[in-house]
Amino acid sequence: MLQSIHSTLAYAVLAVLLIAVINAFLGLSAKRNFTKKDRSLSLVALILTHIQLVVGLAVWVTSPLGKEAMSQMSNAALRLTAVEHPLVNILAIALITIGWSKHKKEESSNGKFKKIGFLYFAGLLFILSRIPWSNWMA
Ligand code: HEM
Ligand code: HEM
C-alpha cells in the first residue's frame, strides 16, 4: 500500500513542482508582485515533497527494493531504487526546502521568485535524474 501511495503521489509531486517552477520564472520575467497565490502554490509543492519524503522513507525500510536490496550493489537497477533514488531525492527535497526558507527572507518579489524558481528547479532536475522509470511505467 505504501508503495502505491508513493507511486501515485509521484505524479502530483512532479506536476505541482513543475507548475511552481514555471510560475516562478514567469513571475520573475514579468517583474510582477509575489502574491498570496504564488505563496500557496510554492507551499503546496513544498508540502507534497515533504509527504513524499516520509512515505519514501517508509517504502524504503519495508520494500524488498529498498534497504534489503542494499546487499546487491553490483546490480544497477537495484542500486538505483535502493540507494541513488533515496539519497538524491533527499538532497532534492533539501534544496526545495532551502528555496522555501530563503524566499521568506527576501523582501522583494523579484528575490522571492528567484529563490523559489532556481532552487525548486534544481530539486526537480535531481528528482528527474533518479526516477526508476522502468518500474514506474511498467
Ligand atoms: C519527490 C521525491 C520523490 C519522487 C517523485 C519519487 C518517485 C518514485 C517513483 C515514481 C517510484 C517508482 C514507483 C513504482 O514502482 O511504481 C519510486 C520508488 C521508490 N522510492 Fe521514491 N520518490 C521520491 C522520493 C523518495 C525518497 C525520499 C525515498 C526514500 C528515502 C524514496 C524511496 C523509494 C523506494 C525505496 C522505491 C522503490 C519502491 C518499490 O518499488 O518497492 N523515494 N519513487
Ligand atoms: C522527515 C520528515 C520531514 C522533515 C525532515 C521536514 C523538514 C522541514 C524543514 C527543515 C522545514 C523548514 C523550512 C523553513 O525554513 O521554512 C519544513 C517546513 C515545512 N514542512 Fe516539513 N519536514 C518533514 C515532513 C513534513 C510533513 C509530513 C509535512 C506535511 C504533511 C510537512 C510540512 C511542512 C510545512 C507546511 C512546512 C512550511 C512551514 C512554513 O514555513 O510555513 N513536513 N519541513
Side-chain angles (χ1 to χ4, degrees), residues 10 14 80 85 89 126-134 136-137:
L14 291 178
L80 175 64
H85 173 83
N89 280 338
F126 272 50
I127 293 169
L128 290 176
S129 78
R130 291 297 182 278
I131 298 266
W133 297 105
S134 52
W136 195 23
M137 297 301 178

Side-chain angles (χ1 to χ4, degrees), residues 39 43 46-47 50-51 53-54 57 97 100-101 104-105:
R39 185 185 179 278
L43 183 60
L46 177 81
I47 293 172
H50 282 197
I51 295 173
L53 169 65
V54 174
L57 283 168
T97 307
W100 173 260
S101 188
K104 288 194 288 192
K105 295 182 185 111

